[in-house]
Amino acid sequence: MKTNRKNKVIIVDDHLLFSQSLKFLINSFSDFEVTHSFGNGKEFIQFLQEEENLDIEVDLILLDVNMPILDGLSTMVWLKENRPDYKAIALSVNNEEDIIIQMIKNGAKGYLLKDTTPQIFYDALKTVIEKGYFFTEMVSGILVNRIDNEDKKLEFKEKELDFIKRACSEKTYKEIADEMCLSPKTIDGYRESIFAKLEIKTRIGLVLYAIKNKIVCV
């Protein structure tokens, strides 16, 4: 009899009681299971570097920001450089803007406070698996404010502006390439260039920028 595969989750958190409670909650979801838990980033990285774990299946990492020995940000930087395909959600008890921005810039697909409700927590796990990112209203607001407060004036070429407007729709990048009569490779170049200018990592960051700067209307 065929069974649905559960999404495999790794917890990296130094608070044992919280980690165990989180594991119990995740294992209560029908489509997720915790496969490993670690007390800090160093233990986690050493585990990933062991030969038998080089190709281990990891669907989602829940990463505590504040840990001894090796904290969440340093671990996130390592993951970005060595396991860029891994999806991680940052967990924290505080909402310091600079930490949130740094975690997201280094590849975190979401940032959740530890007092998040179980329903929002589940929605975050599911959304990151299916769409690649999950940002609460609080985090989205911080991202928008950071963009608002940028001192430098960014200028875009006509084609780049056209791309930004089209990217703020539900169209795929391939569909955008077809509409603009450009190759997918050229569109990838536009995307990478614009993401670099704005210092963002996801399409949602581009949409937020476009809305706040009136490039598109909602």
Side-chain angles (χ1 to χ4, degrees):
M1 181 177 177
K2 185 177 180 180
T3 58
N4 292 328
R5 176 186 177 277
K6 291 188 176 184
N7 294 296
K8 301 182 183 300
V9 180
I10 290 178
I11 298 173
V12 187
D13 194 298
D14 65 309
H15 293 98
L16 183 59
L17 184 60
F18 177 81
S19 179
Q20 290 179 338
S21 298
L22 195 59
K23 179 179 179 179
F24 180 81
L25 174 62
I26 294 170
N27 286 340
S28 73
F29 301 147
S30 62
D31 45 354
F32 289 91
E33 65 175 345
V34 175
T35 58
H36 300 85
S37 297
F38 301 94
N40 59 67
K42 183 178 180 180
E43 291 179 3
F44 176 45
I45 290 173
Q46 288 176 337
F47 169 80
L48 293 179
Q49 290 176 323
E50 292 175 4
E51 186 174 353
E52 64 269 26
N53 298 324
L54 294 179
D55 297 318
I56 190 172
E57 287 186 285
V58 182
D59 296 301
L60 194 59
I61 300 160
L62 298 176
L63 186 60
D64 186 17
V65 173
N66 299 304
M67 294 182 291
I69 304 177
L70 194 68
D71 64 15
L73 180 57
S74 298
T75 305
M76 197 68 245
V77 171
W78 187 91
L79 287 171
K80 180 182 179 181
E81 295 176 351
N82 297 276
R83 300 288 192 278
D85 294 334
Y86 283 9
K87 297 176 181 177
I89 295 178
L91 301 175
S92 181
V93 296
N94 63 62
N95 58 354
E96 294 180 17
E97 180 176 322
D98 287 342
I99 293 297
I100 293 174
I101 295 295
Q102 288 182 62
M103 289 298 290
I104 292 173
K105 280 186 175 181
N106 282 287
K109 305 304 182 182
Y111 191 103
L112 296 174
L113 296 180
K114 289 188 174 181
D115 61 357
T116 297
T117 65
Q119 184 59 55
I120 292 178
F121 179 71
Y122 174 77
D123 290 344
L125 301 188
K126 193 73 172 175
T127 303
V128 169
I129 290 294
E130 294 180 348
K131 297 184 178 180
Y133 57 83
F134 177 90
F135 295 135
T136 62
E137 290 185 8
M138 179 269 292
V139 173
S140 295
I142 288 174
L143 292 174
V144 169
N145 289 334
R146 174 57 64 96
I147 290 171
D148 276 348
N149 293 330
E150 289 290 339
D151 293 328
K152 59 184 179 181
K153 177 67 175 178
L154 296 176
E155 295 183 358
F156 297 100
K157 298 176 182 178
E158 184 177 345
K159 285 282 189 181
E160 289 178 324
L161 285 173
D162 188 17
F163 167 78
I164 292 173
K165 292 175 183 177
R166 296 175 190 272
C168 293
S169 68
E170 295 183 356
K171 296 182 178 70
T172 65
Y173 288 125
K174 184 180 184 306
E175 290 172 336
I176 293 172
D178 291 341
E179 289 185 356
M180 295 180 67
C181 299
L182 297 171
S183 69
K185 185 175 181 180
T186 300
I187 289 298
D188 287 342
Y190 281 149
R191 184 185 69 242
E192 292 173 6
S193 174
I194 291 169
F195 277 23
K197 284 183 181 180
L198 297 177
E199 296 183 349
I200 58 176
K201 294 292 182 182
T202 65
R203 195 165 175 173
I204 190 173
L206 180 61
V207 173
L208 291 171
Y209 176 86
I211 292 172
K212 295 301 294 184
N213 288 274
K214 302 188 184 334
I215 295 175
V216 296
C217 298
V218 293

